[in-house]
Amino acid sequence: MAQHYRFDKEKASRRPGVTPLKDAIDQMLEKYRIRTRFDQSYVVAHWDKIMGSAIATRTKKVYIHERTLFLQIESAPLRNELLRAKSKIIELINREMKSDLVDDVIFI
């Protein structure tokens, strides 16, 4: 006969002195002062999630240097639309990261 697992909340409680993995990673990022580099690489890696696949497929390069987002866009009409929506792009990225990561956007 198959035995079924039942979750028992009282037995599953954390022991004192045990740190959750998320908290440990956050502490490590703060201790080694690499939080901003981690956030910058997150934006580059998740560009399609933040801006959508239509924009992500037409973007050749995405990188952040000194709080400035650099974008290389293939399509001239899309570049003009995004140029007009600079503040919206900055707002989307900063809201996603829950910090002021980007101050300006430059199209290359």
Side-chain angles (χ1 to χ4, degrees), residues 51 69 81-95 102-105 107:
M51 293 301 293
L69 175 68
E81 286 293 321
L82 293 177
L83 186 63
R84 293 180 187 156
K86 266 184 166 182
S87 60
K88 183 71 172 172
I89 294 170
I90 294 169
E91 180 185 332
L92 281 172
I93 292 172
N94 289 338
R95 187 178 338 135
V102 175
D103 289 336
D104 194 17
V105 178
F107 297 93

Side-chain angles (χ1 to χ4, degrees), residues 53-101:
S53 62
I55 294 173
T57 57
R58 291 175 179 86
T59 305
K60 283 189 173 183
K61 286 186 182 178
V62 178
Y63 64 94
I64 300 174
H65 181 69
E66 295 180 2
R67 299 177 58 90
T68 303
L69 175 68
F70 291 90
L71 298 173
Q72 184 176 4
I73 307 289
E74 293 177 344
S75 170
L78 179 62
R79 185 180 314 122
N80 285 336
E81 286 293 321
L82 293 177
L83 186 63
R84 293 180 187 156
K86 266 184 166 182
S87 60
K88 183 71 172 172
I89 294 170
I90 294 169
E91 180 185 332
L92 281 172
I93 292 172
N94 289 338
R95 187 178 338 135
E96 176 74 23
M97 299 313 299
K98 297 180 179 100
S99 68
D100 290 333
L101 184 65

Side-chain angles (χ1 to χ4, degrees), residues 23-39:
D23 294 341
I25 291 172
D26 286 340
Q27 289 173 6
M28 181 198 68
L29 292 174
E30 295 302 324
K31 174 78 174 171
Y32 291 109
R33 296 184 209 137
I34 55 175
R35 166 71 67 194
T36 55
R37 290 293 299 156
F38 179 79
D39 290 345

